[in-house]
Amino acid sequence: MSTPETAVPTHKPKQIDPRGPRVAAAFTSILLAVTIVVALTGQNVAALILLAVIVVLFALGAAGSPAYPWSLVFTKLIRPRLAPPAQTEDAAPPRFALLVGLIITGIGLIGGLAGIQLAVPIAAGFAFVAAFLNASIGFCLGCEIYGLIVRVRTASSRN
Amino acid sequence: MSVAAAFAVLAGLIAVSLALAAVLARTRGRGRVVRPSRAGSLPELPIADAELGDTATFVQFGMQSCAPCRATARRIQAFAAENSGVRHIEFDISQHPDLASKLKIVSAPTTFLLDSHGNIRVRISGLPHPDELVHHVESLAPANDTNQPGAVDVHA
């Protein structure tokens, strides 16, 4: 994130290394798995704190913040050890996917704070499946949703 | 809930995720042969006969922002460059919402393999596996024998 973006041609949207979001999804799914076990064993306060941390992480990522920890871990620690990516991808769809994660875990957090204890592991469970698919096979559910929204928007703006 | 039960629930969730990943990995990128009765053909697509490859034409519906779409375009273009008679045509799905709904395209990229007559023969969702490109183009080859290049005007 500290590298200047000047190398990116101006006509192209911001590009990222596609392995970054997958690494972030792997870390996120571990955190979500821990949250699920903690919540199910009745440690409600600890589960809420964990889920709140995940919500903040999703929010930082969705906002494109340079302080997004998984992005820092990837660019500082992991990418220097890897070969350059075969290709880059648009930053917008994976960022939207983080927004979807933020909404799902945010609903769980609000539910948990409102006293609906089951909301925490259920929300974490849905987010876990999505994060797991992204980390394991690179299938980004949020990116698919992003694509559908772009299509609907373009179609309605044409009419 | 006991710790053991909580871990059992987590194990179940991981099993579901693994099953989903396996299904997605097996279906995405793999071609599905379209039944002739349900197959669309060239008139539904904004492609001229002259644009068709002599053997096969890959018609890809993608989007600008979609990473697997660009990977798909690169892969098919490379395949078409190595195989004469194979062409690649790309459409932006968001610019053709009518086609997208007619062809029931949900995910991007969706690629159709057309035979030399312009009939849709195979449908592929996601980034196609390289061996799938070879396999499905080879399956079209017999039809190509009866169709000489230049005599493509079959649906007049």
Side-chain angles (χ1 to χ4, degrees):
Chain A
M1 303 303 283
S2 63
T3 49
E5 302 292 336
T6 44
V8 178
T10 44
H11 63 275
K12 248 182 156 182
K14 187 173 182 264
Q15 299 288 301
I16 55 165
D17 186 328
R19 297 167 298 187
R22 286 184 72 171
V23 169
F27 285 120
T28 305
S29 52
I30 293 168
L31 271 185
L32 287 163
V34 174
T35 307
I36 291 164
V37 171
V38 169
L40 290 177
T41 49
Q43 304 167 71
N44 295 331
V45 176
L48 276 176
I49 291 170
L50 273 169
L51 193 62
V53 168
I54 294 167
V55 165
V56 170
L57 289 171
F58 272 132
L60 286 172
S65 165
Y68 181 48
W70 302 146
S71 172
L72 289 175
V73 168
F74 179 72
T75 52
K76 303 274 186 224
L77 300 177
I78 299 174
R79 195 168 57 190
R81 289 152 215 264
L82 300 176
Q87 63 258 338
T88 57
E89 69 173 338
D90 268 27
R95 250 180 79 175
F96 180 82
L98 295 175
L99 178 64
V100 174
L102 172 65
I103 292 168
I104 292 173
T105 50
I107 291 170
L109 183 63
I110 291 167
L113 288 172
I116 311 163
Q117 256 89 43
L118 255 187
V120 173
I122 289 174
F126 279 110
F128 174 84
V129 174
F132 184 94
L133 289 177
N134 197 350
S136 60
I137 58 167
F139 179 81
C140 172
L141 188 62
C143 304
E144 298 284 320
I145 298 170
Y146 177 86
L148 288 174
I149 290 173
V150 168
R151 275 167 61 184
V152 169
R153 269 205 197 148
T154 316
S156 57
S157 69
R158 281 159 58 96
N159 296 334
Chain B
M1 192 183 281
S2 71
V3 175
F7 272 104
V9 171
L10 180 63
L13 195 61
I14 292 171
V16 168
S17 308
L18 276 172
L20 268 175
V23 168
L24 282 168
R26 217 182 49 209
T27 53
R28 290 186 72 78
R30 299 277 171 205
R32 198 157 49 80
V33 174
V34 181
R35 273 181 290 157
S37 58
R38 300 194 55 194
S41 63
L42 194 58
E44 292 184 10
L45 300 166
I47 303 169
D49 283 350
E51 293 179 75
L52 284 177
D54 289 339
T55 310
T57 308
F58 287 98
V59 182
Q60 179 191 342
F61 287 85
M63 279 180 21
Q64 237 194 342
S65 62
C66 146
C69 299
R70 269 181 270 152
T72 300
R74 268 192 301 271
R75 183 165 290 175
I76 299 178
Q77 275 159 11
F79 181 77
E82 285 169 14
N83 296 273
S84 61
V86 177
R87 286 206 185 162
H88 174 246
I89 302 173
E90 200 175 351
F91 290 101
D92 190 318
I93 217 173
S94 58
Q95 303 299 323
H96 297 272
D98 42 334
L99 271 174
S101 66
K102 205 187 286 179
L103 295 164
K104 299 185 175 66
I105 297 169
V106 178
S107 78
T110 293
T111 307
F112 296 95
L113 175 57
L114 274 54
D115 61 20
S116 55
H117 305 275
N119 297 311
I120 295 173
R121 299 285 292 272
V122 180
R123 181 187 180 112
I124 310 172
S125 289
L127 173 64
H129 287 261
D131 51 342
E132 286 288 286
L133 300 180
V134 178
H135 166 72
H136 287 294
V137 167
E138 275 174 0
S139 74
L140 295 184
N144 187 49
D145 291 341
T146 59
N147 180 57
Q148 295 303 314
V152 199
D153 195 18
V154 284
H155 42 257

